[in-house]
Amino acid sequence: MSENNNKKIMWYTLAFMAFSTVWGFGNVINGFSEYNGLQAIVAWLIIFAIYFVPYALMVGELGSAFKEHGGGVSSWINETIGPKIAYYAGWTYWIVHMPYISQKPQGVMIATSWAIFQDKRISDMNPVLMQGICLAIFLIGLYIASKGLNPLKKLATLAGSSMFIMSILFILLMIAAPAITNAPLNSIDWSVKTFMPTFDVKFFTSLSILVFAVGGCEKISPYVNQMKDPAKGFSKGMITLAIMVAVCAILGTISLGMMFDSNNIPNDLMTNGAYYAFQRLGEYYHVGNLFVVIYALTNLVGQVSTLIISIDAPLRMLLDSADKRFIPEAMFKQNKHGAYVNGQKLVMVIVSILIIVPAFGIGNVDDLVKWLVKLNAVCMPLRYLWVFVAYIALKKAGDKFGREYFFVKNKIVGIIFGVWCFAFTAFACIGGMYSEDKFQLILNIITPFVLILLGLIMPYLAKRERAK
């Protein structure tokens, strides 16, 4: 065994690394809320089989083909199609983080409220007041981000792994609860009709929530070539990942089904569901609010660090690798800490609008939280579209790019898979815009369009600047 081989990543290590980046307890809550409780299980299984597995394996082939390029969708597009389209991919990847950033201060407030009061009083707050405080939290986060933030990455990793341990712990303790405690649990009717979803409009317009939940595995593409045996190991790791995520989704949903009646799902489940779950768990095990406080504090640290990192990291990814022909010079201005000053100002303007405007049209906190989750589910997956564009282009290029790992060897089959995943993602994003509330519907349509349009203006501004 060579020294080098010992340092290679094993397939199971890769599965664990990917698992913590892809999956979170919030996904289980959102699925349970949108898919009538236990019916979410079938929806999850469908999405894993027809979407998540091919998506993860395509990412592996892309990562293997472009091992010299630090990963990242825009570098794949740059190699396969060209710099201008790569700029649009980079822009999309960055700009869809705006609704995501605007959601984090809400998470901070909900977590703080539960850590202090251990009840759902946050739901009764005036939405305008809530969003006002959210704006203040965001501006503080922006200020910290402008100071450079190396210690935060460690904090985020720590919070991420603690949240991950908490969600696994929740599932284990809930599954064990009937045997260990005499807790009054919901009895689940194990007949087919309990689990069979109705394939109606709501089923299809909520798909974006599931796509949003399972996306993001392109983050692990740089590790493909550090694997012991990429050709076999990567697909093994990704299929293991899919199984782990599926098991967590199924057991997590069943655990929630033991607490909440699938026929009467609380309206505030997206706001307070995770906290209710840990609070009830504490009651079952006679430890009071211990679990809910630990969960609220870890979530608080996680939300704060994610807020600050999301202001900085995606912007850095866009500008560090951007072709200066497409972005005005002013965007590249950095302060002494290396933060992109004008880029962060643009973030400030966009996110402030996203925080303030909804408060005047959405009447209560629970609806506001729900709306933001759905808006994220419409915007975030737009960046996955570029993964499939890159994969289709890679397959069209044939053997031009050497790679150790192939998802499928056949060119036509590969293109069909790429087109399928692209179409499915686009369908989910467009369907996710649908809302019975007119104000929310308008916001859901305008937001992604305006964000993408801004990206079309930048090259024009840059061109004018050069002409001067």
Side-chain angles (χ1 to χ4, degrees):
M1 275 290 230
S2 70
E3 173 76 22
N4 197 14
N5 222 9
N6 290 340
K7 292 195 174 148
K8 295 270 169 136
I9 298 174
M10 300 299 291
W11 61 269
Y12 47 83
T13 315
L14 186 83
F16 273 107
M17 283 161 65
F19 187 44
S20 50
T21 55
V22 168
W23 196 245
F25 187 53
N27 296 333
V28 183
I29 299 270
N30 294 347
F32 194 86
S33 167
E34 290 307 285
Y35 279 98
N36 303 331
L38 293 167
Q39 295 178 7
I41 291 175
V42 173
W44 282 122
L45 288 175
I46 292 171
I47 208 100
F48 292 134
I50 66 173
Y51 181 74
F52 181 60
V53 173
Y55 169 19
L57 298 177
M58 280 181 221
V59 164
E61 186 171 339
L62 283 158
S64 185
F66 306 114
K67 46 182 163 287
E68 304 311 318
H69 304 272
V73 184
S74 41
S75 63
W76 301 338
I77 298 274
N78 194 22
E79 293 301 305
T80 51
I81 303 173
K84 186 153 195 187
I85 303 298
Y87 153 72
Y88 289 125
W91 177 270
T92 309
Y93 196 91
W94 171 65
I95 201 76
V96 295
H97 279 82
M98 298 306 116
Y100 183 70
I101 294 170
S102 71
Q103 189 186 24
K104 292 294 140 200
Q106 273 189 356
V108 170
M109 287 191 64
I110 297 166
T112 308
S113 171
W114 273 92
I116 298 169
F117 304 112
Q118 291 137 45
D119 61 29
K120 61 173 195 146
R121 69 181 64 193
I122 191 85
S123 289
D124 306 324
M125 200 170 172
N126 177 318
V128 179
L129 175 65
M130 165 118 169
Q131 292 305 88
I133 301 172
C134 284
L135 183 62
I137 294 170
F138 161 64
L139 293 173
I140 295 166
L142 191 68
Y143 174 75
I144 299 169
S146 70
K147 297 287 173 220
L149 39 125
N150 295 331
L152 261 173
K153 294 208 166 89
K154 292 195 175 91
L155 193 63
T157 316
L158 179 71
S161 32
S162 321
M163 287 284 289
F164 177 65
I165 292 162
M166 290 288 290
S167 47
I168 301 297
L169 190 69
F170 169 77
I171 291 170
L172 294 175
L173 288 174
M174 259 328 282
I175 298 296
I180 298 175
T181 75
N182 49 5
L185 299 172
N186 252 352
S187 59
I188 294 175
D189 169 14
W190 292 95
S191 64
V192 173
K193 73 174 194 309
T194 309
F195 297 92
M196 215 32 164
T198 324
F199 294 98
D200 54 5
V201 171
K202 186 170 186 299
F203 182 91
F204 292 106
T205 54
S206 299
L207 280 175
S208 58
I209 297 261
L210 306 185
V211 169
F212 175 40
V214 299
C217 53
E218 63 276 2
K219 291 188 190 108
I220 47 152
S221 62
Y223 303 110
V224 180
N225 297 290
Q226 295 168 25
M227 290 191 67
K228 195 170 169 192
D229 173 12
K232 289 196 185 122
F234 188 81
S235 44
K236 220 169 163 179
M238 288 301 97
I239 287 165
T240 308
L241 165 69
I243 293 167
M244 281 158 62
V245 173
V247 168
C248 269
I250 292 166
L251 294 182
T253 306
I254 290 172
S255 302
L256 290 175
M258 288 155 74
M259 289 188 166
F260 303 105
D261 176 6
S262 293
N263 301 317
N264 305 307
I265 292 168
N267 191 40
D268 63 343
L269 198 70
M270 280 194 188
T271 315
N272 301 312
Y275 301 98
Y276 287 153
F278 281 101
Q279 193 169 40
R280 290 203 187 168
L281 197 61
E283 286 166 15
Y284 299 157
Y285 284 92
H286 311 294
V287 291
N289 280 334
L290 178 70
F291 292 137
V292 80
V293 174
I294 295 173
Y295 180 77
L297 291 173
T298 33
N299 199 3
L300 177 62
V301 176
Q303 298 282 349
V304 171
S305 44
T306 310
L307 166 69
I308 298 163
I309 286 170
S310 301
I311 291 170
D312 183 75
L315 182 61
R316 231 169 253 278
M317 277 173 74
L318 171 70
L319 296 175
D320 284 352
S321 61
D323 189 319
K324 296 202 170 183
R325 287 176 298 172
F326 307 119
I327 297 181
E329 195 52 49
M331 287 286 281
F332 292 95
K333 186 182 162 194
Q334 285 174 289
N335 66 10
K336 62 177 185 201
H337 304 289
Y340 289 105
V341 190
N342 292 329
Q344 291 194 352
K345 282 182 187 159
L346 186 57
V347 174
M348 181 177 82
V349 174
I350 298 170
V351 175
S352 300
I353 294 169
L354 281 171
I355 289 175
I356 295 161
V357 173
F360 293 100
I362 298 176
N364 70 57
V365 168
D366 296 330
D367 287 347
L368 198 57
V369 171
K370 220 174 199 175
W371 169 73
L372 249 181
V373 170
K374 290 194 168 174
L375 181 69
N376 266 299
V378 168
C379 294
M380 267 304 200
L382 293 172
R383 64 191 180 146
Y384 313 151
L385 292 171
W386 290 107
V387 175
F388 308 125
V389 169
Y391 188 74
I392 294 165
L394 175 67
K395 279 304 188 198
K396 278 190 165 163
D399 300 326
K400 183 179 162 194
F401 302 100
R403 47 204 182 273
E404 286 182 48
Y405 169 71
F406 285 88
F407 162 39
V408 283
K409 288 268 171 70
N410 186 300
K411 183 174 165 179
I412 308 293
V413 175
I415 290 172
I416 290 170
F417 268 112
V419 170
W420 157 251
C421 282
F422 182 93
F424 190 83
T425 310
F427 174 77
C429 289
I430 295 164
M433 291 176 185
Y434 173 75
S435 170
E436 287 171 3
D437 181 300
K438 243 193 196 120
F439 181 71
Q440 293 183 29
L441 176 67
I442 291 166
L443 287 180
N444 291 349
I445 294 169
I446 287 177
T447 310
F449 273 109
V450 170
L451 295 180
I452 301 298
L453 270 174
L454 281 172
L456 299 176
I457 297 168
M458 286 288 168
Y460 168 72
L461 295 175
K463 193 175 169 186
R464 255 184 55 184
E465 190 178 72
R466 283 201 310 277
K468 276 183 186 167

